[in-house]
Amino acid sequence: MQHEEQCVDRAAGTGDIRKALMSGNQAIARGAYEAGVRVACAYPGTPSTEILEHIRAFEGIYVEWSPNEKVALEVALGAAIAGVRALAAMKHVGLNVAADPLFTAAYTGVNAGLVIVSADDPGMHSSQNEQDNRHYARFAKIPMLEPSDSQEAKDFVGLALDISERFDTPVMLRTTTRISHSSGIVVLGAPQAPRRLPYKKNPPKYVMVPGNARLRHIEVEARLKALAEFAEGFAYNTIEWNSTRVGIIASGVSYQYAREVLEKNASYLRLAMTNPIPEGVIRGFAAKVDRLYVIEELDPFLEEQLRAMGLNVVGKRLLPVTGELTPEAIRRAMIEEGVLAGAVAGAQVALVPPNENANAGAGNHEAGDAIALPARPPVMCPGCPHRGAFYVLRKLKVVATGDIGCYTLGVAPPLSALDTTICMGASIGNAIGFAAAAAMDQRPQTCAVETAAKAAEAEAEAEAGAGAGALATSAAAVPRKPVAVIGDSTFVHSGITGLIDAVYNQVSIVVLILDNGTTAMTGHQNHPATGVTLRGTATHRLSLEDLVRACGVEYVAVVDPYDLVATERALRQAAAVPGPAVVIARRSCVLLPGARPADRYIILEDRCTACKLCLSLGCPAIEVRDGRPVIIRGSCAGCGVCAQICRCDAIAQHKAGEYHE
Amino acid sequence: MSEPSKPIGVRSVLIVGVGGQGILLASRLLASAAIGAGFDVKISEVHGMAQRGGSVVTHVRLGTKVHSPLVEMGTADFVVAFEKLEALRWLPYARPGATVIVNDLEIPPLPVILGAERYPTDIIRRLAAGGRRVVLVDAQGMARSAGNARCANTAIMGMLARRLDLGITEERWQVAVGDVAPPGTAEVNWKAFCLGYTCESYK
């Protein structure tokens, strides 16, 4: 668990915690506990992951890491229909995977309450897109609550479940990174006694064949009208009257930014429930203020609805549609509008926040001193088992379609090994597409030229002696099959169906499963192929090699990615066989306890010719000092991959005990 | 310390560094002490990809009533940097006259390691421009003196504590260190904190 409960205030005498500093995610977990949730499911995904990790701490709740978000929501829905309160949590893009059950769950409704937490990631701190999931609530016609701090994150879980039961609908609880991963003080409540609603078999409600679904759709529309009426009196939509010169409509963390920047210079209508919106309340507020602004992050979700109501409102004319909303963006907009006094602070440059992922060096300027700073992109750790696999892939010059996980970092220089990254599991389908496109290529002349060029290129490389002698092979054997690169957890999540497609249609691809035995990027969660549950108990371990063989793959090799020769040999063999082939590169994530090898490596100065080939691994444990590569003491994890590629035998192993960190 | 930038008395602290330097623990230490002293507190952190050796920032805001969990650019009273380049990267968040506490440590990012870019050589000068006060500190050295090199983060927070000027008592800080320190390390962390508290900038 990332954050232990930090006590702020204990009740005198009893020692019971009454107040605590909690992240939004931790507060949601607490809210689920207090509201009597009995089943909670998720697939890990930033920024939602810690919700289930915290719920796990409570007794009496069935918790699971589901293989993916679709299964998570289906399990939670089943539990709700069966009569216990349930929660499914996911990141924004996870709801795409769960969208199929979501839309029909809106038709069936629930029995006991069902809350779906969607944790969005504006600014893409750790995501492949920044879609605005508020649209999902409107699209699926379900109510949505948006907490604006940790206290509300906790309280709104119970509220959502009450609404869910009262209106017989799933309810979406939508957070963003700055709600999920911000912490604030939370006043704790007492947990509700467990209860179970009776389940009655009711096929017209729960079996969505067309004849039943047509009737349920009518119910959905009627329910939406009832919810709109409910929203008018919903006590958590609040108005703070200050100056009526300016009125602000906002929700979630955007409200907090607006309140901070504008202080008492504006009146505020804060919407806790953003679907459906309370049109009457909004009209009443709008009528009393001179100028009306909507301050919202990402899409003009509220603004467009307000415009459709005929209100004269300003929003995205002033505020960005892309990236995270920031207090400074609001201040600049309000200064431009004359709402706040002051100059628009100097340069636009000064208002571009440094990118935390720091991929874009251009964003890193000092105000008034526009000198770009070196970016600090996230990197694969020293000893990361993915590094060796990517080194070999790059050497083989194959098309490598990527996937979602730490190994997405293989796109960065110097490895630069990936061609695509789309979504969970897409690597395999993408590779099939590349192979299909090549197969449809009807231009033999062009092909011949390309092949000749590639052969010449590879030959030149072989002559240049790239790689250790043992790795040098003839250019003719360079494999041309596209390689799908996917992690173990991601493969289970949504890679299996892609592989079945490759087998079914006999498409020549290689699937390289980087099996590090965990879901590393989100903080080392277990999954079906680790053989350990969310509660830490041993369970059946899904065997990836048995699974891919059962799918019909004939060539299956398991290699240690620390062994470059074996990894390259397996990939070449996989490329040589007809049809789909699978290589499983198996080695524990180096951050897992006990995963670091005992030995360390050093560069022998007398042998090193400073050719810097070792730098092509992009290992943060190797740096250049005075023009020569040096392995940083204390950083080396002992994988030995650099020693294998060194052409001068200049990287030597130091046995454990000889090396003092 | 100089007058707060906002009449509502909210102090904004940006804690920055490189993934793995113990920044989350440092921000929780500050929050814990401030809450103990009766302040409202909000922290904002980022998890996931940024933690893989990337640039990491935590926003801490404390005061009578805190709305935004994010520090507005140009308003931070303190920038606490566990690494020099990161101090410079996040400097746009500092207000004029802010105090920048910076660990005298250079961790070259990958583009520098690969020779594609250079590590800036004039960081301290640039930090001190515009009337900012720069406090340079050898946190690793203090942590080693305290008995555990991993306590560099608490040592830096000790330096911040003395300059924070919020009237938080020594007892509250000690309780906070005990609250957030990993099991069995409260004593050595408190020692590192105290060394930081009494330390002067050495440049």
Side-chain angles (χ1 to χ4, degrees), chain A residues 395-558:
Chain A
K395 185 177 172 226
L396 297 179
K397 292 191 184 322
V398 287
V399 166
T401 52
D403 227 297
I404 307 290
C406 284
Y407 48 92
T408 313
L409 297 171
V411 72
L415 291 166
S416 308
L418 293 177
D419 289 88
T420 63
T421 295
I422 311 297
C423 66
M424 294 287 287
S427 60
I428 300 178
N430 284 172
I432 294 170
F434 268 90
M440 288 301 101
D441 198 334
Q442 297 297 311
R443 293 167 298 160
Q445 208 176 355
T446 319
C447 277
V449 170
E450 263 181 27
T451 310
K454 278 170 189 161
E457 192 180 30
E459 211 165 316
E461 189 197 331
E463 267 174 38
L471 295 177
T473 16
S474 80
V478 171
R480 307 313 312 177
K481 272 184 179 176
V483 178
V485 183
I486 186 167
D488 45 338
S489 188
T490 307
F491 180 72
V492 175
H493 178 284
S494 51
I496 299 166
T497 42
L499 182 65
I500 290 171
D501 179 36
V503 174
Y504 176 52
N505 291 300
Q506 282 300 296
V507 184
S508 285
I509 62 163
V510 177
V511 175
L512 173 59
I513 302 177
L514 300 177
D515 179 7
N516 63 357
T518 187
T519 318
M521 179 57 91
T522 47
H524 301 99
Q525 289 75 28
N526 281 295
H527 60 72
T530 68
V532 180
T533 68
L534 173 54
R535 285 218 181 268
T537 52
T539 182
H540 176 78
R541 188 183 68 77
L542 174 68
S543 159
L544 294 179
E545 45 270 54
D546 288 353
L547 174 65
V548 300
R549 282 197 189 97
C551 290
V553 178
E554 285 172 12
Y555 181 90
V556 182
V558 180

Side-chain angles (χ1 to χ4, degrees), chain A residues 41-81:
Chain A
C41 319
Y43 179 81
T46 310
S48 70
T49 311
E50 302 82 11
I51 296 171
L52 262 280
E53 292 182 315
H54 284 293
I55 291 182
R56 169 179 58 186
F58 299 111
E59 295 292 325
I61 303 179
Y62 170 86
V63 292
E64 67 164 48
W65 287 133
S66 310
N68 64 32
E69 295 86 352
K70 178 181 185 304
V71 175
L73 180 49
E74 289 157 352
V75 172
L77 175 62
I81 292 171

